Amino acid sequence: MLDLFQGLSDIARVLLTLSAVAISGLALGHVKVRGVGLGIGGVLFSGLAAGHLARVYGVSFDHHVLHFIREFGLVLFVYTIGIQVGPGFFAALKRQGLGLNLMAASIVVLGVLTAAAIHLVGGVPLPAVLGIFSGAVTNTPSLAAAQEILGAVGASGAEQATPSLGYAVAYPFGIAGILIAMAVVRHVFRIDPVAEAEAFERQRRAALESLEGLDVAIRNAGVAGLLVKDVVRSREGVVASRILHDGRLEVPHADTRLEPGDVLHLVGPRPKLERLKAYLGQESDVALVGRDADIRWERLVVTDDRVLGKSIAQLDLVDAYDVVVSRVNRAGVELVPSPALHLQFGDILTAIGRPADITRVAALFGNSHRRLQQVEFIPVFIGIALGVLLGSIPLFVPGMPAPMKLGLAGGPLVAAIVLARVGHLGPLVWFMPPAANLALREIGIILFLAVVGLLSGGRFVETLLSGDGLVWIGCGAVITLVPLLVVGLVARRVKRINYLSLCGLLSGSMTDPPALAFANAMTPSEAPALAYATVYPLVMCLRILAPQILVLLLW
């Protein structure tokens, strides 16, 4: 069998080996102990085993092919991450998300400082520290960035391979360390997760301005004769979607005049609806929704290139089509359709009007659910090309001994975040169906980890069994625990952060899905997932930049 395997062509031998590594690694990742497993990291350990066996039996691989597959997998992975997090990246840096992101950034900075201290005080070689740092925070793109920057500064082949060894020995405790930090915070403050979930829901209900509907009868004589646009202003967060006038249900236009006895169906946040009701009159006993079969509502999806980037005011739907848009759902968030709101691909609009008019508006928006499932590959490769070019630009930072580059780990990520935020450029749409995004992302990281493990496996057992291996494990534990415990304890004591949100923050600061799954299992609550999603985009960027900063400062 070994002779048969050795007789294969270089490419066939590489593909066969990587397939075997992926199959066994994914199977290993599904093995869980008390709900916690290696996840996608199982592919790395399977690759290390394959690399060790290849060294024992004298099997060789074409390193040029392996390096291409590794880099291509990395680009796919970071680009699809950027497309996924891009729409919410800048929003997460505002308002309540700012505090969580500052704490998550503090965890990253403390980790970098701890890693630097281990190198400067402990004397651990910098290439090993970079890998230990990446494994201790369970962040694979950080490992890729470390290997790339070492190559850029002229490190030897052995030095470029060392980070993957450090990553492998530190990774298991990196996962366990997050759970330990959560347990320590819970024990120190004697926290009841169920009570924390209830407190979170109470706080959330008090702060959430979800859109509601309210039927209001005009009773204020001072309103008589005024136009709808003078009384109900969507820019203030309220939309009038129906009006009952002289017993007839109609779509209100901006110049529709209000009369005593008219009934308006208003859509907006409850506090604003209550204020407008107090001004107009009182809540009506007459329910306008479903009253007239000739006026109906329908959800329409924006998929036509011609309306992308246009504002609702530009489309003039009320006057041109006799249709009102009462709500806009964008990536799961309901927005008030203000005149200045610009439409993006995939927006879901609630349109109200007569069936024939809604049909015309549906044609205007596209409303093609099939197109939502299609991947536009021209924008994908344009985005990748822009990312590669961006990653190759030298960034001269004062005080740095060498220019910094985003590289193949950072360039495609930043380009994807910006392009996803822009949404479209003419007919080019950077929206990617979630299923397609996940598939490309998983393929990319599997290829990357399989090659990294295969290239590093020859030295792994030797490193693990030597004195250096045990020291590296200890260093990884310090890098994992110190930032998490410092920020976790301070956040709870000083900032009074909800414990479940804190667990999501700690998991997101390490970009670790198994830790998030552990937090979710404590009690049914969205708090951990919301905090995780809030800090994930910024942390991912910082984790990729961190190794480059360490190398440029300490090399």
Side-chain angles (χ1 to χ4, degrees):
M1 289 294 293
L2 182 60
D3 292 337
L4 178 62
F5 182 74
Q6 290 276 39
L8 296 174
S9 67
D10 290 337
I11 294 179
R13 193 160 57 249
V14 167
L15 291 178
L16 184 60
T17 303
L18 293 183
S19 297
V21 167
I23 293 168
S24 56
L26 291 173
L28 177 62
H30 282 100
V31 177
K32 295 184 178 181
V33 178
R34 295 187 177 182
V36 179
L38 292 174
I40 200 71
V43 177
L44 175 64
F45 289 94
S46 179
L48 290 170
H52 175 70
L53 292 175
R55 180 182 180 183
V56 170
Y57 291 103
V59 178
S60 62
F61 300 97
D62 188 323
H63 281 213
H64 293 93
V65 175
L66 288 177
H67 289 162
F68 169 77
I69 294 175
R70 182 187 64 187
E71 302 306 319
F72 182 67
L74 172 64
V75 169
L76 275 183
F77 178 66
V78 296
Y79 178 79
T80 48
I81 282 180
I83 291 295
Q84 177 194 16
V85 305
F89 179 78
F90 298 99
L93 301 179
K94 301 176 182 177
R95 298 178 185 176
Q96 62 267 36
L98 180 59
L100 290 176
N101 275 286
L102 287 175
M103 285 183 279
S106 299
I107 292 176
V108 178
V109 172
L110 281 174
V112 171
L113 294 176
T114 304
I118 288 173
H119 169 63
L120 296 174
V121 179
V124 179
L126 184 58
V129 168
L130 297 177
I132 294 168
F133 172 80
S134 302
V137 300
T138 67
N139 190 273
T140 306
S142 176
L143 170 64
Q147 291 183 314
E148 186 174 11
I149 189 63
L150 286 174
V153 297
S156 66
E159 288 174 325
Q160 292 182 48
T162 299
S164 59
L165 300 175
Y167 178 95
V169 299
Y171 186 89
F173 188 85
I175 296 177
I178 308 173
L179 308 186
I180 292 172
M182 292 180 189
V184 169
V185 173
R186 180 177 176 180
H187 176 74
V188 169
F189 296 102
R190 298 181 180 179
I191 295 171
D192 179 8
V194 175
E196 292 293 302
E198 294 173 352
F200 173 79
E201 291 303 325
R202 287 194 300 269
Q203 182 181 9
R204 188 183 183 191
R205 284 194 296 269
L208 186 63
E209 284 196 341
S210 59
L211 301 185
E212 301 181 18
L214 183 67
D215 296 307
V216 177
I218 306 298
R219 294 288 185 264
N220 182 359
V223 176
L226 294 181
L227 305 180
V228 167
K229 66 180 180 181
D230 298 326
V231 177
V232 183
R233 299 177 177 88
S234 59
R235 65 176 178 273
E236 295 180 357
V238 178
V239 173
S241 63
R242 301 168 179 81
I243 183 171
L244 183 65
H245 179 71
D246 290 336
R248 180 176 175 80
L249 191 64
E250 301 174 352
V251 173
H253 291 235
D255 56 357
T256 298
R257 294 192 178 276
L258 299 175
E259 301 295 340
D262 288 350
V263 179
L264 282 172
H265 182 75
L266 305 174
V267 177
R270 171 58 64 173
K272 295 179 180 180
L273 293 178
E274 292 294 337
R275 288 196 293 270
L276 192 54
K277 180 188 73 173
Y279 171 63
L280 294 176
Q282 64 187 44
E283 187 169 353
S284 173
D285 295 330
V286 179
L288 301 192
V289 177
R291 176 182 175 88
D292 191 336
D294 198 33
I295 299 291
R296 62 184 178 89
W297 66 271
E298 188 171 331
R299 289 192 176 93
L300 308 176
V301 183
V302 177
T303 57
D304 195 302
D305 298 340
R306 294 172 295 178
V307 299
L308 297 181
K310 290 187 177 180
S311 67
I312 291 179
Q314 286 177 291
L315 298 176
D316 195 21
L317 298 175
V318 177
D319 292 331
Y321 297 91
D322 209 26
V323 169
V324 167
V325 173
S326 63
R327 305 173 192 236
V328 176
N329 186 295
R330 177 173 295 168
V333 178
E334 282 199 327
L335 307 173
V336 175
S338 65
L341 182 66
H342 292 267
L343 299 179
Q344 294 183 9
F345 188 91
D347 283 351
I348 301 175
L349 313 183
T350 301
I352 299 169
R354 291 180 171 79
D357 297 328
I358 289 182
T359 299
R360 291 192 298 145
V361 170
L364 173 69
F365 290 143
N367 198 35
S368 173
H369 292 271
R370 180 180 179 183
R371 192 176 176 196
L372 284 177
Q373 306 305 319
Q374 294 177 335
V375 182
E376 298 287 345
F377 278 104
I378 292 179
V380 169
F381 284 101
I382 290 177
I384 289 175
L386 291 175
V388 172
L389 292 174
L390 180 63
S392 303
I393 298 175
L395 304 175
F396 295 93
V397 180
M400 292 285 190
M404 184 173 66
K405 294 182 181 180
L406 293 176
L408 294 179
L413 177 69
V414 174
I417 288 176
V418 173
L419 292 173
R421 180 66 180 85
V422 171
H424 81 284
L425 187 61
L428 301 174
V429 178
W430 275 276
F431 171 86
M432 188 180 294
N437 185 294
L438 178 62
L440 290 177
R441 186 165 74 245
E442 292 293 292
I443 289 174
I445 194 62
I446 287 169
L447 291 176
F448 175 80
L449 288 176
V451 174
V452 167
L454 194 60
L455 290 174
S456 306
R459 296 172 53 201
F460 179 69
V461 174
E462 176 185 346
T463 302
L464 185 62
L465 297 180
S466 71
D468 287 346
L470 296 178
V471 171
W472 291 2
I473 292 175
C475 293
V478 173
I479 294 174
T480 299
L481 287 177
V482 169
L484 290 176
L485 289 176
V486 170
V487 174
L489 293 172
V490 171
R492 180 65 182 184
R493 172 66 72 184
V494 179
K495 296 295 185 180
R496 311 299 300 174
I497 299 293
N498 182 281
Y499 175 67
L500 297 178
S501 295
L502 180 58
C503 289
L505 165 66
L506 298 180
S507 303
S509 68
M510 309 293 255
T511 61
D512 190 70
L516 176 62
F518 179 83
N520 286 334
M522 291 184 190
T523 181
S525 174
E526 293 183 359
L530 290 174
Y532 183 97
T534 299
V535 303
Y536 182 92
L538 177 63
V539 167
M540 182 61 75
C541 291
L542 295 178
R543 292 293 184 198
I544 290 173
L545 291 175
Q548 302 188 57
I549 294 174
L550 283 170
V551 169
L552 294 177
L553 289 176
L554 303 177
W555 185 254

